[in-house]
Amino acid sequence: MRIFGFLIFIAVFAAASFIVRLLWNAILPEVTGCGILTYWQSAGIVLLSRLLFGGFGAFAGHLHRHHHRAKNELHRKMKDRRHIHEAMEGMTREEKREYIRNFFNREMHVDNIPNDKPEQN
C-alpha cells in the first residue's frame, strides 16, 4: 500500500510539473519576455512552491498533525482569553491582578510569579 501511495505521489508530481511547464511556456515568454522552461526546471518550481507555500498533502502527515495540534492549542488559548475577560468583568484592579496571577499559576504550573506587593516582615 505504501508503494502505491508513493507511485501516486510521483504521478501527481510529474503531472503538476508538466502543467506548470505548459502554462509557463504558453503565457510568460510572450507577456514578460522571460525564457521558456524545460521539464526539470518546472519540476524544480513545483517543488520550491510546495516547500514555500504548503507541504506535500497526505504525504506530510506528521507536519499536518503538528499543524492541527498547534491550531487546536491556539483555539484553546483564545477561548481561555475570552473566559478571563468575562470572569474579570466588574472586578477591581487588585481583584483582576489576583485572578490573573491565580490563573497563570494554575494553567502554567508556575509557583514563582513575582508579587508586586512589598514583603511585610
Side-chain angles (χ1 to χ4, degrees), residues 6-26:
F6 182 71
L7 291 175
I8 289 175
F9 172 76
I10 295 296
V12 168
F13 183 78
S17 300
F18 183 73
I19 291 169
V20 165
R21 181 178 162 257
L22 283 178
L23 290 173
W24 182 290
N25 291 339

Side-chain angles (χ1 to χ4, degrees), residues 22-109:
L22 283 178
L23 290 173
W24 182 290
N25 291 339
I27 299 168
L28 289 176
E30 191 174 312
V31 173
T32 63
C34 62
I36 62 171
L37 281 182
T38 66
Y39 174 79
W40 295 110
Q41 289 171 328
S42 67
I45 289 175
V46 169
L47 180 64
L48 180 64
S49 65
R50 294 302 293 165
L51 288 172
L52 292 175
F53 301 115
F56 287 97
F59 300 102
H62 172 71
L63 294 175
H64 176 71
R65 284 189 299 274
H66 175 71
H67 172 72
H68 188 65
R69 195 175 312 126
K71 188 173 146 185
N72 287 341
E73 182 66 20
L74 177 64
H75 180 69
R76 187 188 68 76
K77 285 180 181 179
M78 294 302 290
K79 206 171 175 182
D80 286 347
R81 187 173 293 154
R82 284 191 302 268
H83 169 71
I84 289 172
H85 285 287
E86 291 170 2
M88 291 191 312
E89 215 170 286
M91 289 184 181
T92 66
R93 185 179 178 123
E94 286 301 316
E95 290 171 334
K96 287 179 184 180
R97 282 184 181 168
E98 189 62 32
Y99 181 83
I100 291 171
R101 191 173 290 115
N102 290 336
F103 177 81
F104 282 109
N105 277 336
R106 195 174 53 247
E107 289 297 313
M108 297 182 170
H109 308 290

